[in-house]
Amino acid sequence: ALWCLMMSVTPTRGCLLDLPWEDILVPHILCHLPLQQLLSLQRVSKSFQSLIQLYLANMRCFDSSQVGPAIPRAAFVNLLKDNEVLQQLALQNCSDWLTDRELLPVIGQNHHLHQIQLKGCAQLSRHALVAISLSCPNLRQLSLAHCEWVDSLSLRSLADHCKALEAVDLTACRQLKDEAICYLVQKCSRLKSLSLAVNANVGDVAVEETAKCCPELEHLDLTGCLRVKNDSIRVLAEYCPKLRSLKVKHCHNVAESSLSILRSRGVELDVEPPLQRALVLLQDVVGFAPFINLQI
């Protein structure tokens, strides 16, 4: 079907390639085709190769999942070597091949990036985050989940230069402690979404500072933050009126006494009320949940 589209000819208009490339083909036709198919078209002819290169140079969004998880290093570099207009870059789970050597040139020539996804890119280093902070002043969303190379100094650089950040995912960035998180939220007060999940070094100090500095906060993930306690959850309830969801599963020091405040406001929580949890456990044990009539 794709071949028929690209090679279709009419008596009056000729080949599809005769249409204006920059005005018609790139913005209105090629953008609707999967990237993997576009790359295959480069082998059709030199004209198609030139057209696809023009498309790649003007591409606003690149998602590695559209090509496949195991992109050859040289292929990735070639795909984006002429692009200076990227706005979104998604390279999640590219730990098998992505290093600073491949990423830094792309970051360095794309100053309009506002969304970057690097989840699970384990072979990068702190230099990648410093490069992002220096080259992407308009960055709004950044995922660094499971990037254990993120340290306090590189996070400080991010906070100093990317103050428009609205969503940051620091899941399992285990080098980070309360002090680094506090610096981030003090500088990036527009944050609406923050994940500090699976970080045993994060405690009440970071959560309370986040609450006080980020009044626009809507989503907070504290899953597995064992040092977080009730006091910081109460501060969160007091300072974050726009909070919509909170994850505290496996936070063993957070009890219903603090969560009930948020629950009464309709905040979505990932732990059930004590009574409901008890009924679920009972159902698991005996195979049914009895009806209980409570009179208060």
Side-chain angles (χ1 to χ4, degrees), residues 2 30-41 55 66:
L2 178 61
L30 298 187
C31 63
H32 297 292
L33 300 177
L35 182 58
Q36 200 162 21
Q37 292 187 5
L38 289 174
L39 297 179
S40 299
L41 283 173
Y55 172 80
Q66 295 182 5

Side-chain angles (χ1 to χ4, degrees), residues 54 65-66 87 92 107 169 197-198 230:
L54 177 64
S65 65
Q66 295 182 5
Q87 296 179 2
Q92 62 271 23
I107 296 298
D169 189 346
V198 199
N230 282 324

Side-chain angles (χ1 to χ4, degrees), residues 2 85 89 98 146 157 170 185 212 217 229 233 261 266 296:
L2 178 61
V85 295
L89 179 63
L98 184 67
H146 302 281
S157 179
L170 299 172
V185 297
K212 293 176 181 178
L217 192 67
K229 302 181 179 66
I233 302 302
I261 304 171
I296 301 178

Side-chain angles (χ1 to χ4, degrees), residues 206-257:
V207 176
E208 290 181 13
E209 193 68 14
T210 299
K212 293 176 181 178
C213 293
C214 303
E216 302 296 316
L217 192 67
E218 297 178 2
H219 307 282
L220 180 62
D221 190 346
L222 300 173
T223 303
C225 294
L226 303 179
R227 294 177 55 222
V228 173
K229 302 181 179 66
N230 282 324
D231 288 345
S232 61
I233 302 302
R234 294 191 182 98
V235 173
L236 193 67
E238 179 181 356
Y239 284 89
C240 296
K242 297 184 179 180
L243 192 67
R244 295 168 52 193
S245 70
L246 173 66
K247 295 183 178 180
V248 288
K249 189 172 288 185
H250 307 303
C251 295
H252 303 303
N253 294 312
V254 174
E256 184 64 21
S257 58

Side-chain angles (χ1 to χ4, degrees), residues 59-286:
M59 190 166 48
R60 299 296 196 273
C61 176
F62 179 82
D63 188 342
S64 61
S65 65
Q66 295 182 5
V67 183
I71 309 173
R73 287 184 172 91
F76 172 75
V77 173
N78 185 61
L79 284 175
L80 298 179
K81 62 183 177 63
D82 297 321
N83 193 307
E84 298 181 359
V85 295
L86 273 180
Q87 296 179 2
Q88 301 178 38
L89 179 63
L91 299 170
Q92 62 271 23
N93 300 316
C94 294
S95 58
D96 292 339
W97 60 272
L98 184 67
T99 68
D100 290 356
R101 184 176 180 179
E102 292 77 41
L103 180 64
L104 264 58
V106 176
I107 296 298
Q109 67 190 33
N110 282 281
H111 304 293
H112 303 289
L113 280 163
H114 59 75
Q115 183 175 333
I116 300 177
Q117 165 70 266
L118 296 175
K119 178 182 178 181
C121 294
Q123 291 195 56
L124 297 176
S125 76
R126 61 183 303 271
H127 299 296
L129 186 54
V130 172
I132 289 171
S133 65
L134 296 177
S135 298
C136 309
N138 299 315
L139 192 64
R140 296 200 300 270
Q141 299 180 34
L142 176 63
S143 175
L144 299 168
H146 302 281
C147 293
E148 297 193 19
W149 43 267
V150 176
D151 61 10
S152 58
L153 289 177
S154 57
L155 194 69
R156 278 177 171 262
S157 179
L158 179 73
D160 285 335
H161 297 93
C162 300
K163 298 180 181 179
L165 278 167
E166 295 180 357
V168 179
D169 189 346
L170 299 172
T171 298
C173 293
R174 294 185 173 90
Q175 289 195 57
L176 301 178
K177 299 181 180 180
D178 282 348
E179 182 182 4
I181 303 303
C182 289
Y183 192 88
L184 173 69
V185 297
Q186 288 166 3
K187 296 287 186 176
C188 302
S189 58
R190 301 181 190 178
L191 280 175
K192 296 181 179 180
S193 177
L194 176 64
S195 176
L196 304 173
V198 199
N199 194 330
N201 294 317
V202 170
D204 285 343
V205 173
V207 176
E208 290 181 13
E209 193 68 14
T210 299
K212 293 176 181 178
C213 293
C214 303
E216 302 296 316
L217 192 67
E218 297 178 2
H219 307 282
L220 180 62
D221 190 346
L222 300 173
T223 303
C225 294
L226 303 179
R227 294 177 55 222
V228 173
K229 302 181 179 66
N230 282 324
D231 288 345
S232 61
I233 302 302
R234 294 191 182 98
V235 173
L236 193 67
E238 179 181 356
Y239 284 89
C240 296
K242 297 184 179 180
L243 192 67
R244 295 168 52 193
S245 70
L246 173 66
K247 295 183 178 180
V248 288
K249 189 172 288 185
H250 307 303
C251 295
H252 303 303
N253 294 312
V254 174
E256 184 64 21
S257 58
S258 60
L259 294 177
S260 60
I261 304 171
L262 294 170
R263 205 184 297 279
S264 65
R265 282 173 25 193
V267 175
E268 180 183 346
L269 303 174
D270 64 342
V271 293
E272 301 293 343
L275 176 59
Q276 191 161 348
R277 287 203 300 270
L279 289 176
V280 170
L281 290 173
L282 182 59
Q283 185 177 21
D284 291 340
V285 172
V286 300

